[in-house]
Amino acid sequence: GQQVMQIPQYQHVQEGEDFTTYCNSSTTLSNIQWYKQRPGGHPVFLIQLVKSGEVKKQKRLTFQFGEAKKNSSLHITATQTTDVGTYFCAGGETSGSRLTFGEGTQLTVNP
Amino acid sequence: DTAVSQTPKYLVTQMGNDKSIKCEQNLGHDTMYWYKQDSKKFLKIMFSYNNKELIINETVPNRFSPKSPDKAHLNLHINSLELGDSAVYFCASSHRRYGLAGGEQFFGPGTRLTVL
């Protein structure tokens, strides 16, 4: 079955540093979604990428979808303490409605 | 109004007991899901229903039985609870007709199950 791998599993940064998490799928994806889960909270949708090579920005967050639609990345510029949480990518199958979640990257930001 | 709600928020019970978790969404979505999140934060799909029809049934023990009385509700019943069932269970919903893997998923607040 489809597997979605995400690295790193943990990332500790100083406030103001940049952060990147990477997502790789064993199969070609129809789309990729990104979610953020604050400590003690539930996953919250951030964005969906659909097109090959697509790049989207949300303020300090930049999302990329690879040309082969098998990998993706989330980059945060100048992290803030409010960025703390676990970031999940989730790959959509080319058939069916299943989303397969990566293992998540837990980000901590030291003030 | 809460979009996706779950009850209870916390559930502490003894091994061997049977328990249920309820989920309701008021978003008008066609598809609902149950996920299990373990202590390492890994989110694993368990079940998915579309218009009350079971469409995803992962390799979950038979002790777990989902039930969808209507499009807006998806409950999870667990028989003979085991220590390994301790986790956070999330309900989610999406508008499947968007076609692309169901589009954005909206998660409930989660139910933290502790089996003693």
Side-chain angles (χ1 to χ4, degrees), chain A residues 35-39 41-44 84-86 88, chain B residues 37 41 90:
Chain A
Y35 292 78
K36 177 183 178 181
Q37 183 178 16
R38 293 182 187 275
H42 58 276
V44 174
V84 165
T86 301
F88 292 96
Chain B
Q37 186 171 50
K41 301 287 189 184
F90 286 103

Side-chain angles (χ1 to χ4, degrees), chain A residues 11-20 36 57-62 74-84 87 107-111:
Chain A
Q11 185 76 59
H12 309 279
V13 299
Q14 287 294 126
E15 191 171 19
E17 290 180 341
D18 293 355
F19 158 76
T20 305
K36 177 183 178 181
K57 291 192 176 185
Q58 288 179 350
K59 297 182 181 179
R60 294 177 295 102
L61 277 61
T62 302
L74 157 59
H75 180 81
I76 303 178
T77 303
T79 54
Q80 300 174 359
T81 53
T82 53
D83 295 325
V84 165
Y87 293 85
L107 173 66
T108 55
V109 180
N110 297 319

Side-chain angles (χ1 to χ4, degrees), chain B residues 18-55:
Chain B
D18 303 339
K19 291 293 178 185
S20 292
I21 308 172
K22 295 186 176 182
C23 178
E24 177 181 2
Q25 55 95 3
N26 62 6
L27 298 167
H29 287 165
D30 293 334
T31 308
M32 296 184 73
Y33 311 80
W34 277 112
Y35 287 89
K36 179 181 180 181
Q37 186 171 50
D38 60 24
S39 57
K40 293 185 178 180
K41 301 287 189 184
F42 186 55
L43 264 174
K44 183 176 167 58
I45 181 77
M46 299 174 71
F47 304 101
S48 178
Y49 272 76
N50 174 255
N51 283 322
K52 300 195 298 175
E53 179 188 351
L54 182 65
I55 58 172

Side-chain angles (χ1 to χ4, degrees), chain A residues 1 11 13 16 20 32-33 55 69 73 84:
Chain A
Q11 185 76 59
V13 299
T20 305
I32 195 141
Q33 299 178 9
V55 178
K69 300 183 76 172
S73 65
V84 165

Side-chain angles (χ1 to χ4, degrees), chain A residues 9 30-31 33 35 37 39-45 48 50 86 88 92-93 96-99 101-103 106, chain B residues 9 31 33 35 37 40-43 45 48 55-56 58 90 96 99-105 107-110:
Chain A
Q9 189 175 357
S30 66
N31 71 93
Q33 299 178 9
Y35 292 78
Q37 183 178 16
H42 58 276
V44 174
F45 176 81
Q48 176 170 277
V50 177
T86 301
F88 292 96
E93 287 183 340
S97 64
R98 184 192 303 263
L99 269 184
F101 279 79
E103 299 95 334
Q106 295 186 44
Chain B
K9 191 170 172 65
T31 308
Y33 311 80
Y35 287 89
Q37 186 171 50
K40 293 185 178 180
K41 301 287 189 184
F42 186 55
L43 264 174
I45 181 77
S48 178
I55 58 172
I56 295 175
E58 289 296 292
F90 286 103
R96 192 187 186 204
L100 298 173
E104 170 185 357
Q105 293 195 8
F107 283 78

